[in-house]
Amino acid sequence: MGLFTSLLSKLSGSQEHNPILITEVLSWIDAQGGMEALLQQMKLFGFGKILQSWLSNQQNLPISPQQVFSFIKAPALQQLADRCGIDVNATAALLAKYLPLLVNGLSHSGELTPSATTDLVKAGLSVLGRKS
């Protein structure tokens, strides 16, 4: 995707399958301690049932942007927003959209696959590429 296309998608609010934003999200998750650390935060804040649906073969339960705000601290969300060039509310919505898809695609038999911890960016882009 070219710079012009990326800018247009940001301006139009369309973030669907934007590889630049997805790469930023995945890199940010790595910088926060990785997918496992993020999932632990979800469990700690009472989102175990939602998380379990993502890890299992069940239908993914949704998570709202407001729920994302409850288990990810505001400074961390702001850091991701700055990296993506979008506001913090759009960032929470982006995570609410992609976390279920990522966790579901990066798990097998209720556990994260090794690729989720060894090369999250590559594995995550591959998962979301299959969801196109």
Side-chain angles (χ1 to χ4, degrees), residues 21-37:
L21 290 178
I22 295 167
T23 300
E24 287 296 337
V25 167
L26 294 166
S27 296
W28 174 85
I29 290 171
D30 259 350
Q32 301 301 307
M35 188 63 81
E36 288 180 351

Side-chain angles (χ1 to χ4, degrees), residues 65-121:
Q66 293 76 23
Q67 290 171 312
V68 170
F69 277 112
S70 68
F71 67 88
I72 299 176
K73 295 180 181 180
L77 274 175
Q78 186 61 57
Q79 179 188 42
L80 178 57
D82 293 344
R83 288 175 70 164
C84 292
I86 57 179
D87 71 41
V88 73
N89 292 317
T91 301
L94 190 71
L95 288 172
K97 176 181 179 177
Y98 285 116
L99 281 176
L101 297 172
L102 286 167
V103 173
N104 185 269
L106 294 171
S107 62
H108 181 69
S109 300
E111 300 289 329
L112 288 175
T113 61
S115 63
T117 57
T118 57
D119 193 351
L120 180 60
V121 173

